[in-house]
């Protein structure tokens, strides 16, 4: 007996036999999702995006665009809305193979980058996620510390030590949710999404009594008067696309559980653009209201709430921030590296070990910040500066991967993948797919050159767009050349 792929309606399912059970590229956690387990409807996927979008970094996006990219408040909010509408394109397209074949992101990459070569984009995606995991865990740990400080003066006296303890408590909560599997994440997102939306709407109404929405939206741009709008707009747009450039790659990690293509498409359209726009707008409004509330301008919601002189409301607010950060962190920053690390050695790293490895790397990447909070290290590097600098930098690396994946699945493979071969080294898919790796390498090389040559600096400034386009075009050309050469060789042999 041997393993085989079976089609049922729009889905494909893998019937696994001993040949795949023994394969070095297979484990049960990376295996295609069984059709009976594809239970996420459009509202579950909507809740996934609501839960991921309502978080501290989203809250600060408006401030990032006005402070660093020279946009007015209205321009910043429009930029966020446009960026997330654009992101729906790669998100829904890369979700297609996950829904149809039930495969996670690393396994899909084996088609375009090769069985072993897939680890290169996997690890790039994983490292970014681990960094974000550390940053979000820092926010969650601060919320736990402020919650305990609101109910205990003794805990408040711990200061930075209390924040470090909070970090590890929040870290453990994340590990617990992810290790329990996809149904646990689905439950958390579905439960938290309506609660977070209600609280956000309530905060917007409350803040509306403290500030004038008209005045906030009329805040002028922080750029030279003679400077044009479009250059600043496209720079900010590239950065905002970079915010979810990660999920535009590993969306198959979630779409593999969708009930249908229609569910994943509608769920993403409903859940992403409007939620991102609304919560970023809330951040702008509350930041403007902060001077009235606490006497100073504060762009971080955790710190802002921590300054409110009411232990009861601080405690309640911190519980909600903990839930919001947990729902974002588990889905956006732990699921992908958990799968990505498994792809390195599926027989050695299972789902649980992948999650714990993600958590360990996250701790290491935040080690300097934890040591600062303990008073054991002095450093001027802040989480905020790291977060802002990453937006452009990592989108330049992830754009080419998105372009290559889309072209490979829709134009080269014509929406057909051999499920058995994806888990069988030395069969249909090579260890290293030269066109995919070459297209990615070429795009990265252009990015490096653009960093050092002012004449083409725009290639880096608009990194996700230029990278995705370059990667897609170069891959399409190289993959077709490879296919033509293979056809000619086959004709000669026959």
């Amino acid at each position: 007996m041997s393993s085989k792929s079976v089609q049922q309606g729009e889905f494909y399912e893998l019937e696994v036999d001993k040949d795949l059970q023994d394969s070095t590229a297979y484990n049960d956690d990376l295996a295609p999702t069984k059709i009976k387990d594809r239970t996420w409807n459009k509202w579950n996927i909507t809740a996934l995006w609501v839960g991921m979008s309502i978080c501290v970094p989203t809250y600060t996006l408006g401030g990032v665009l006005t402070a660093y990219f020279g946009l007015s408040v209205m321009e910043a909010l429009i930029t966020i809305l446009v960026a997330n509408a654009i992101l729906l394109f790669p998100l829904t397209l890369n979700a297609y193979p996950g829904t149809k074949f039930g495969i996670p992101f690393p396994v899909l990459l084996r088609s375009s980058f090769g069985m072993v070569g897939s680890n290169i984009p996997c690890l790039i995606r994983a490292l970014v996620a681990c960094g974000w995991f550390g940053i979000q865990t820092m926010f969650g740990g601060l919320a736990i510390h402020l919650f305990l400080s609101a109910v205990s003066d003794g805990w408040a006296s711990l200061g930075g030590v209390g924040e470090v303890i909070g970090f590890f408590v929040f870290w453990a909560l994340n590990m617990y949710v992810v290790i329990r599997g996809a149904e646990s994440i689905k439950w958390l997102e579905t439960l938290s999404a309506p609660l977070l939306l209600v609280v956000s709407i309530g905060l917007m109404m409350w803040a509306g009594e403290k500030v004038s929405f008209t005045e906030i939206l009329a805040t002028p741009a922080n750029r030279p008067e003679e400077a044009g709008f479009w250059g600043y707009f496209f720079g900010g747009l590239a950065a905002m696309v970079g915010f979810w450039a990660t999920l535009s790659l590993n969306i198959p990690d979630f779409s593999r559980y969708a009930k249908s293509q229609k569910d994943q498409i509608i769920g993403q359209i409903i859940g992403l653009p409007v939620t991102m726009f609304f919560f970023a707008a809330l951040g702008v409004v509350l930041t403007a209201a902060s001077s009235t509330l606490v006497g100073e301008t504060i762009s971080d919601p955790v710190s802002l709430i921590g300054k409110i002189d009411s232990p009861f409301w601080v405690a309640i607010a911190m519980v909600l921030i903990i839930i919001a950060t947990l729902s974002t962190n588990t889905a956006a920053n732990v699921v992908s590296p958990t799968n990505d690390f498994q792809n390195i050695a599926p027989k050695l790293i299972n789902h649980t070990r992948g999650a714990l490895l993600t958590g360990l790397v996250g701790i290491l990447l935040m080690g300097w910040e934890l040591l600062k909070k303990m008073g054991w290290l002095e450093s001027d590097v802040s989480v905020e500066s790291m977060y802002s600098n990453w937006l452009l930098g990592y989108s330049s690396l992830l754009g080419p991967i998105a372009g290559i994946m889309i072209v490979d699945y829709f134009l080269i493979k014509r929406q057909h993948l051999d499920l058995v071969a994806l888990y069988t080294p030395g069969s249909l898919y090579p260890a290293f797919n030269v066109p995919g790796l070459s297209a990615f390498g070429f795009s990265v090389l252009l990015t490096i050159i653009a960093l050092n040559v002012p004449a083409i600096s725009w290639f880096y400034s608009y990194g996700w767009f230029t990278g995705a386009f370059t990667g897609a075009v170069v891959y399409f050309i190289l993959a077709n050349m490879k296919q033509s050469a293979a056809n000619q060789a086959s004709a000669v042999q026959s």
Side-chain angles (χ1 to χ4, degrees):
M1 294 290 291
S2 60
S3 304
K4 61 181 179 179
S5 174
V6 179
Q7 183 175 7
Q8 295 186 31
E10 67 175 301
F11 294 135
Y12 281 81
E13 188 171 71
L14 188 60
E15 293 184 356
V16 179
D17 213 305
K18 193 174 186 305
D19 57 332
L20 281 193
Q21 288 286 359
D22 295 338
S23 170
T24 56
Y26 175 91
N27 72 22
D28 290 338
D29 296 313
L30 290 179
T33 308
K34 294 293 185 184
I35 291 176
K36 65 180 178 62
D37 296 323
R38 302 182 196 184
T39 60
W40 292 37
N41 60 32
K42 60 179 177 291
W43 299 116
N44 297 131
I45 294 171
T46 297
L48 173 74
W49 277 109
V50 170
M52 288 195 294
S53 298
I54 297 181
C55 60
V56 173
T58 302
Y59 180 100
T60 63
L61 286 182
V64 169
L65 286 173
T66 54
Y68 293 97
F69 291 91
L71 297 175
S72 70
V73 169
M74 178 62 82
E75 290 168 352
L77 295 178
I78 291 173
T79 301
I80 292 167
L81 183 63
V82 172
N84 286 282
I86 290 172
L87 271 168
L88 287 173
F89 178 73
L91 277 165
T92 53
L93 290 183
N94 278 333
Y96 258 81
T99 302
K100 183 175 181 178
F101 294 97
I103 53 177
F105 167 63
V107 175
L108 177 59
L109 280 178
R110 294 172 182 177
S111 172
S112 51
F113 286 86
M115 301 292 288
V116 179
S118 61
N119 287 304
I120 295 174
C122 272
L123 291 178
I124 290 172
R125 170 66 181 99
L127 182 62
V128 170
C130 289
W132 277 115
F133 169 70
I135 291 173
Q136 292 273 26
T137 302
M138 196 68 71
F139 284 128
L142 175 60
I144 288 176
H145 168 67
L146 291 174
F147 167 76
L148 294 173
S149 296
V151 298
S152 168
D153 291 337
W155 187 276
S157 67
L158 291 176
V161 175
E163 291 183 38
V164 172
I165 295 172
F167 175 92
F168 284 101
V169 171
F170 191 73
W171 182 94
L173 285 173
N174 281 268
M175 292 297 103
Y176 175 76
V177 170
V178 173
I179 287 173
R180 284 176 59 88
E183 282 300 306
S184 176
I185 294 173
K186 172 186 170 184
W187 176 85
L188 173 65
E189 302 295 342
T190 304
L191 176 70
S192 63
L195 175 65
L196 295 174
L197 280 176
V198 169
V199 171
S200 298
I201 292 170
L203 282 172
M204 184 68 85
M205 295 171 63
W206 171 76
E209 300 176 357
K210 313 290 182 184
V211 295
S212 166
F213 290 157
T214 305
E215 289 181 9
I216 292 173
L217 294 176
T219 304
N222 179 30
R223 61 176 182 262
E225 290 186 9
E226 69 278 5
F229 162 72
W230 292 107
Y232 288 86
F233 169 74
F234 284 116
L237 186 69
M240 292 304 100
V241 169
F243 189 81
W244 285 125
T246 49
L247 266 292
S248 72
L249 302 184
N250 77 288
I251 190 65
D253 289 333
F254 300 101
S255 67
R256 64 191 292 216
Y257 299 104
K259 281 187 171 182
S260 67
Q261 296 290 5
K262 183 178 179 181
D263 281 301
Q264 68 92 355
I265 293 171
I266 293 176
Q268 295 198 87
I269 290 174
I270 296 173
L272 176 60
V274 175
T275 307
M276 287 290 292
F277 175 83
F278 173 72
F279 201 65
L282 176 64
V284 170
V285 170
L286 286 184
T287 298
S290 62
S291 58
T292 302
L293 297 173
V294 297
E296 59 180 305
T297 300
I298 300 176
S299 60
D300 168 14
V302 182
S303 300
L304 172 62
I305 295 169
K307 289 182 176 292
I308 295 175
D309 189 22
S310 171
F312 174 77
W313 287 113
V314 168
I316 295 296
M318 287 305 145
V319 169
L320 294 171
I321 285 178
I322 290 166
I323 293 172
T325 309
L326 183 65
S327 64
T328 300
N329 216 18
T330 51
N333 302 321
V334 187
V335 170
S336 179
T338 294
N339 289 335
D340 297 338
F341 288 136
Q342 289 183 74
N343 194 59
I344 300 171
K347 292 303 183 190
L348 296 177
I349 306 174
N350 59 13
H351 177 79
T352 299
R353 290 175 180 172
L356 292 174
L357 187 56
T358 299
L360 176 61
V361 175
I363 292 173
L364 293 175
L365 290 175
M366 284 294 104
W368 52 272
E369 185 71 14
L370 294 173
L371 292 174
K372 278 172 58 181
K373 291 184 182 299
M374 293 293 291
W376 297 346
L377 176 70
E378 290 188 10
S379 172
D380 294 330
V381 179
S382 67
V383 169
E384 288 78 9
S385 65
M386 175 187 280
Y387 155 58
S388 300
N389 292 332
W390 264 11
L391 284 174
L392 268 179
Y394 79 69
S395 68
S396 300
L397 287 176
L398 302 186
I401 301 172
I404 291 167
M405 289 172 65
I406 292 170
V407 167
D408 179 73
Y409 181 69
F410 286 97
L411 301 181
I412 305 301
K413 302 304 191 310
R414 307 281 180 169
Q415 301 187 55
H416 178 74
L417 298 172
D418 188 321
L419 272 184
V420 176
L422 282 173
Y423 295 91
T424 310
S427 57
L428 179 63
Y429 303 101
F432 296 94
N433 187 35
V434 175
L437 294 168
S438 299
F440 176 68
F442 180 74
S443 299
V444 172
L445 179 62
L446 280 181
T447 299
I448 294 171
I449 294 173
L451 277 170
N452 297 283
V453 180
I456 58 169
S457 61
W458 55 268
F459 191 92
Y460 172 76
S461 298
Y462 308 137
W464 189 89
F465 296 101
T466 54
F469 178 79
T470 304
V473 171
V474 173
Y475 180 69
F476 180 76
I477 294 170
L478 294 179
N480 277 301
M481 288 173 61
K482 179 183 177 182
Q483 186 61 50
S484 297
N487 292 339
Q488 290 176 7
S490 177
V492 170
Q493 290 176 358
S494 61

